[in-house]
């Protein structure tokens, strides 16, 4: 049985990953593999935070069990094989009761949806939900076509995320170990947060733990949810010891944890083959830069590029570190690979790789043909030698030195979107 869930949290608290942990634990179920934490279209206006949806295959273990989580002192197990449970309706009722207890229904943006299904649909709905904007009618149509039990509240938009998470094929994945303290973690001092992030660094395969540029322990999210911290990794087995280490090294209270399999840092949201840019979709494509970046007030930068013979605009918002180098270094004629989202008629840059640099020539004062000294510019193509007073109307041109030899640029850890794989570290997902 697959159980999928979305849109339960609100601006003032809650977290759908925590609800999934609670449902699995309170229903006394084991998980086949790992529960899935699936990020969808990052440009969706309906999202509360990171547009995450959840799906887990659950049942009663009939294989080898290993502990992947804990809820209020009770272990949660992953199993290599599971027996399906017989009564889907009963499971749906029990799970929905828990959702209604924890969901922030008073928040106008919260529209929970729960799906119980025997089967996984193909990946088409997942890909559409990552890369475009779907309607509730779209998901009701798909639910009707399959033998699925669903529950929803208010406008039912959460069913879009739930059905998308159910459709996630999990062929490119990373993992995240999430620790909780329900309903809210205590305030953790900045220094301790840094130490916990450094501890996470010691676990093989972890990434994005600490943002050196902003001196920020990126594993600690906004304190309005039950999430204490979340450590991203490519090595699911190595990270299993992390919660115990946190508990024994720091006096931080925690009511539970669970290891999730995710589509984070996979670049799954980028469309690579497309006809034209559509609002709120994300793209990876090669283009030719057609203007140098210019700044507007607020520290935002814009430049133009040619793609398939048409000129478009790109925006870089509050660039820092790598992105700051990019705005200084980008030149007309550069052949680049752009990764970004199309919003308000322009591409918001997430990362850029310069494939081929254009050679830029700059005008300089000529050398005097008579005595070899550098001439002085007297204005209007009029150069004069300061040594022998020879005159010339012809400037010289020289190749401009480009600032940086680096060829890839991206946001610092804190500004990186969940789905974006780091260029510097290479793609994390396997
Ligand atoms: P949570 O942790 O509760 O999942 P969130 O920030 O991840 O919070 P949600 O509260 O789930 O975001 O809100 C996102 C809403 O947008 C959900 O109702 C989800 O079903 C819907 N949604 C996600 N992707 C799409 C899409 N491509 N088209 C239309 N709706 C979408």
């Amino acid at each position: 049985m697959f159980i999928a869930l979305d849109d339960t949290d609100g601006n003032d608290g809650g977290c759908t990953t925590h609800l999934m942990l609670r449902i699995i634990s309170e229903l006394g179920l084991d998980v086949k593999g790992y529960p899935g934490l699936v990020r969808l279209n990052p440009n969706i206006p309906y999202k509360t935070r990171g547009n995450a949806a959840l799906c887990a295959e659950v049942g009663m273990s009939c294989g080898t069990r290993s502990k992947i989580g804990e809820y209020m002192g009770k272990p949660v197990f992953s199993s290599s094989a599971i027996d399906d449970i017989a009564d889907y309706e009963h499971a749906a009722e029990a799970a929905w009761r828990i959702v209604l207890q924890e969901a922030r229904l008073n928040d106008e943006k919260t529209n929970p949806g729960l799906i119980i299904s025997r089967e996984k649909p193909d990946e088409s709905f997942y890909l559409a939900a990552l890369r475009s904007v779907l309607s509730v009618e779209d998901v009701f149509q798909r639910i009707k076509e399959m033998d699925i039990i669903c529950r929803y509240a208010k406008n039912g938009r959460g069913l879009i995320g739930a059905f998308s998470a159910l459709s996630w094929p999990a062929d490119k994945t990373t993992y995240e170990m999430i620790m909780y303290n329900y309903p809210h973690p205590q305030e953790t001092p900045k220094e301790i947060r840094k130490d916990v992030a450094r501890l996470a660094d010691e676990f093989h395969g972890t990434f994005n733990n600490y943002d050196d540029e902003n001196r920020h322990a990126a594993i600690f999210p906004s304190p309005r949810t039950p999430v204490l911290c979340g450590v991203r990794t490519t090595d699911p087995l190595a990270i299993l010891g992390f919660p115990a280490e946190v508990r024994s090294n720091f006096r931080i209270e925690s009511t539970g944890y669970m290891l999730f399999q995710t589509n984070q840092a996979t670049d799954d949201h980028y469309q690579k083959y497309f006809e034209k840019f559509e609002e709120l979709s994300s793209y990876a494509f090669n283009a030719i830069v057609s203007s140098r970046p210019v700044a507007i007030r607020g520290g935002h930068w814009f430049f133009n590029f040619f793609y398939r013979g048409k000129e478009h605009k790109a925006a870089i918002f509050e660039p820092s570190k790598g992105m700051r180098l990019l705005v200084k270094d980008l030149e007309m004629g550069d052949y680049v690979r752009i990764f970004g989202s199309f919003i308000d008629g322009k591409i918001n840059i997430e990362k850029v790789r310069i494939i081929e640099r254009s050679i830029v020539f700059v005008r300089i004062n000529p050398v005097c043909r008579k005595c070899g000294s550098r001439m002085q510019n007297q204005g209007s193509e009029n150069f004069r030698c300061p040594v022998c007073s020879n005159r010339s109307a012809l400037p010289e041109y020289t190749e401009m030195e480009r600032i940086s030899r680096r060829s890839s640029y991206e946001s610092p850890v804190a500004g990186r979107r969940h789905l974006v794989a780091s260029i510097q570290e290479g793609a994390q997902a396997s």
Side-chain angles (χ1 to χ4, degrees):
M1 176 180 99
F2 291 94
I3 180 160
L5 187 61
D6 195 18
D7 207 347
T8 67
D9 67 353
N11 276 323
D12 66 334
C15 177
T16 312
T17 66
H18 183 262
L19 251 175
M20 180 57 99
L21 167 63
R22 189 171 157 196
I23 290 169
I24 292 167
S25 174
E26 291 191 2
L27 268 54
L29 299 168
D30 297 306
V31 183
K32 174 103 184 286
Y34 303 95
L37 159 55
V38 185
R39 301 282 177 183
L40 302 170
N41 190 337
N43 311 313
I44 282 293
Y46 323 121
K47 69 181 180 177
T48 316
R49 278 172 275 271
N51 203 6
L54 277 295
C55 180
E57 187 176 2
V58 289
M60 308 310 287
S61 171
C62 58
T64 318
R65 291 208 307 176
S66 56
K67 186 177 167 186
I68 56 161
E70 197 182 290
Y71 179 70
M72 302 294 178
K74 190 178 151 204
V76 171
F77 291 101
S78 164
S79 179
S80 57
I82 50 171
D83 279 335
D84 205 0
I85 58 169
D87 195 343
Y88 276 30
E89 277 292 345
H90 179 261
E93 266 324 296
W96 188 239
R97 254 197 315 274
I98 298 170
V99 171
L100 293 182
Q101 281 168 21
E102 224 175 285
R104 304 303 235 233
L105 289 170
N106 290 335
D107 191 310
E108 91 179 279
K109 270 190 166 181
T110 303
N111 298 283
L114 170 87
I115 283 174
I116 303 278
S117 170
R118 195 176 303 280
E119 275 159 24
K120 232 174 165 16
D122 65 55
E123 66 177 1
S124 57
F125 203 86
Y126 161 67
L127 291 176
L130 254 187
R131 298 170 179 180
S132 64
V133 182
L134 300 170
S135 70
V136 182
E137 288 70 42
D138 292 328
V139 73
F140 278 129
Q141 182 59 35
R142 293 299 301 266
I143 286 172
K144 245 200 269 165
E145 289 161 14
M146 286 177 67
D147 183 19
I148 277 178
I149 298 173
C150 74
R151 299 280 186 278
Y152 63 92
K154 295 163 70 182
N155 70 19
R157 188 179 287 120
L159 289 174
I160 298 175
F163 195 86
S164 310
L166 179 70
S167 318
W168 180 46
D171 45 18
K172 251 197 294 170
T173 74
T174 62
Y175 300 83
E176 181 164 350
M177 169 60 81
I178 304 186
M179 290 185 72
Y180 304 94
N181 196 48
Y182 186 78
H184 296 292
Q186 71 212 81
E187 180 69 34
T188 313
K190 202 168 172 212
E191 272 315 299
I192 307 272
R193 276 189 265 157
K194 184 176 173 186
D195 291 345
V196 179
R198 292 297 181 217
L199 171 70
D201 278 344
E202 289 170 24
F203 285 77
H204 177 255
T206 62
F207 60 92
N208 288 1
N209 297 327
Y210 192 77
D211 184 333
D212 284 308
E213 186 181 356
N214 296 301
R215 301 213 186 113
H216 167 68
I219 62 170
F220 286 87
S222 103
R224 278 172 300 177
T225 77
V227 175
L228 171 64
C229 64
V231 178
R232 291 160 191 222
T233 184
T234 54
D235 187 342
L237 299 181
I239 199 65
L240 285 170
F242 178 74
E245 286 280 320
V246 172
R247 284 170 178 170
S248 64
N249 286 298
F250 304 94
R251 271 209 259 131
I252 297 179
E253 282 172 28
S254 144
T255 51
Y257 69 88
M258 188 142 75
L259 179 59
F260 294 89
Q261 188 171 28
T262 85
N263 63 346
Q264 292 166 169
T266 60
D267 282 349
D268 257 7
H269 59 313
Y270 295 126
Q271 292 179 61
K272 296 182 183 123
Y273 309 100
F274 55 95
E275 286 300 312
K276 60 184 174 71
F277 298 120
E278 308 268 2
E279 261 314 286
L280 304 183
S281 295
S282 305
Y283 301 95
F285 57 96
N286 295 354
I288 293 175
V289 176
S290 57
S291 76
R292 295 208 67 213
V294 289
I296 61 158
R297 223 189 301 154
H300 309 313
W301 291 75
F302 295 90
F303 68 90
N304 295 344
F305 63 86
F306 273 111
Y307 177 71
R308 288 194 166 191
K310 269 180 118 180
E311 196 166 29
H312 303 271
K313 232 183 196 22
I316 302 171
F317 291 107
E318 291 185 63
S320 51
K321 208 167 184 181
M323 286 293 194
R324 213 177 289 133
L325 266 180
L326 175 71
V327 297
K328 282 191 187 152
D329 201 38
L330 214 52
E331 289 292 344
M332 280 171 69
D334 281 347
Y335 184 50
V336 293
R337 183 151 187 84
I338 292 177
F339 303 79
S341 297
F342 194 65
I343 298 173
D344 292 337
K346 56 189 164 330
I347 289 283
N348 289 0
I349 299 278
E350 287 161 9
K351 52 185 179 178
V352 171
R353 188 166 70 235
I354 297 187
I355 301 167
E356 202 72 70
R357 279 156 185 272
S358 63
I359 297 173
V360 183
F361 290 94
V362 284
R363 246 171 82 128
I364 54 167
N365 296 350
V367 167
C368 175
R369 293 251 169 100
K370 278 194 184 155
C371 71
S373 308
R374 180 71 57 193
M375 298 175 97
Q376 285 173 343
N377 190 354
Q378 311 240 289
S380 342
E381 312 289 299
N382 180 9
F383 300 98
R384 181 178 171 276
C385 178
V387 178
C388 67
S389 300
N390 182 29
R391 288 188 178 274
S392 168
L394 296 174
E396 281 180 18
Y397 290 86
T398 185
E399 193 182 326
M400 190 181 83
E401 212 177 304
R402 306 287 299 264
I403 303 165
S404 147
R405 295 287 149 223
R406 292 173 63 201
S407 59
S408 297
Y409 305 83
E410 63 187 343
S411 308
V413 172
R416 209 168 289 160
R417 294 183 125 177
H418 299 289
L419 281 156
V420 177
S422 167
I423 316 186
Q424 305 300 344
E425 296 146 26
Q428 286 96 353
S430 56

